[in-house]
Amino acid sequence: MIRRRTVLNAGSGPGVALPPHYEGFEIVHLDVDPDNRPDIVADVRDLSGLADASFDAVHLAHLLEHFAPWEVDVVLAELRRVLRPGGFVEVRVPHVEAVFRAVLEGQAIDGPLYESGIGPISPLDVLYGHATTVRDGNAWMAHRTAFTPDSLRASFERADLKVELVRPTGGMLYELCGIARKPAEAGAVSTDQSALPM
């Protein structure tokens, strides 16, 4: 019997869809907020309720920037632990290097940089979190760190994850996509790599 691949959608929020390359995966949603009705209610900094090597992939969309820099290492260590050998983590974070470049080229720091599902986003929103959302009482949405391609690579490397790609997400200038893999153990059967968006 062929085992179905599983992906942990960490910080899943209220039903955000995964990219198409996860078609065929069994999706397990994890979120700290029970109101989002995830399969697992947990803080991604402490996944002690999940067994080692239990997922083929982990997906995080706009979650890492909500942690302090030293907590990023804690989160990635936990994600590495729950990955099977050869499994991968996919991270989407704001691309602050591109935002800084836009500001240096004349973009107003508090003016609209791009449109999102929650309205216009300014460079200040990218750096500190969506101001309206934070103002309206959702302090969790504040940003506590930021990423450039080099700093995201370094975060993966500190977690002993092998970097496969770090680049702007296709069609999204101000978002970085990073993918890194847990090394396969000697003699272990590695996770299928066909899902990677290369």
Side-chain angles (χ1 to χ4, degrees):
M1 180 174 156
I2 297 174
R3 178 182 61 79
R4 190 171 180 201
R5 294 180 294 173
T6 56
V7 56
L8 179 66
N9 185 17
S12 59
V16 176
L18 291 182
H21 52 267
Y22 290 101
E23 184 177 339
F25 278 74
E26 177 184 343
I27 301 169
V28 177
H29 299 283
L30 180 143
D31 201 280
V32 72
D33 185 354
D35 289 344
N36 287 328
R37 302 178 66 188
D39 302 306
I40 301 167
V41 176
D43 186 320
V44 75
R45 292 169 291 188
D46 178 9
L47 299 177
S48 55
L50 300 179
D52 292 357
S54 48
F55 293 94
D56 298 288
V58 178
H59 180 267
L60 289 88
H62 292 275
L63 180 64
L64 275 187
E65 65 269 22
H66 297 286
F67 296 103
W70 59 89
E71 293 175 307
V72 169
D73 292 344
V74 173
V75 170
L76 290 176
E78 277 292 83
L79 299 181
R80 184 188 188 285
R81 182 185 63 77
V82 302
L83 277 173
R84 292 189 173 101
F88 67 92
V89 59
E90 178 177 358
V91 171
R92 307 282 174 112
V93 291
H95 185 351
V96 297
E97 190 173 288
V99 174
F100 294 157
R101 195 174 305 118
V103 171
L104 287 172
E105 291 171 358
Q107 164 67 48
I109 198 164
D110 57 353
L113 181 66
Y114 65 91
E115 285 291 325
S116 78
I118 57 174
I121 301 296
S122 73
L124 286 176
D125 292 325
V126 175
L127 293 175
Y128 298 109
H130 187 243
T132 305
T133 304
V134 175
R135 180 201 66 203
D136 291 346
N138 193 344
W140 169 248
M141 293 305 291
H143 291 179
R144 299 181 67 205
T145 194
F147 294 93
T148 65
D150 287 345
S151 70
L152 184 56
R153 272 190 203 91
S155 295
F156 284 144
E157 289 167 357
R158 285 193 305 275
D160 192 26
L161 291 163
K162 182 178 178 284
V163 179
E164 301 217 341
L165 71 82
V166 174
R167 66 179 182 211
T169 303
M172 299 180 73
L173 178 61
Y174 301 110
E175 181 183 79
L176 279 177
C177 176
I179 296 178
R181 190 173 295 280
K182 180 177 181 175
E185 297 167 357
V189 177
S190 190
T191 294
D192 179 9
Q193 297 186 22
S194 62
L196 289 179
M198 298 303 217

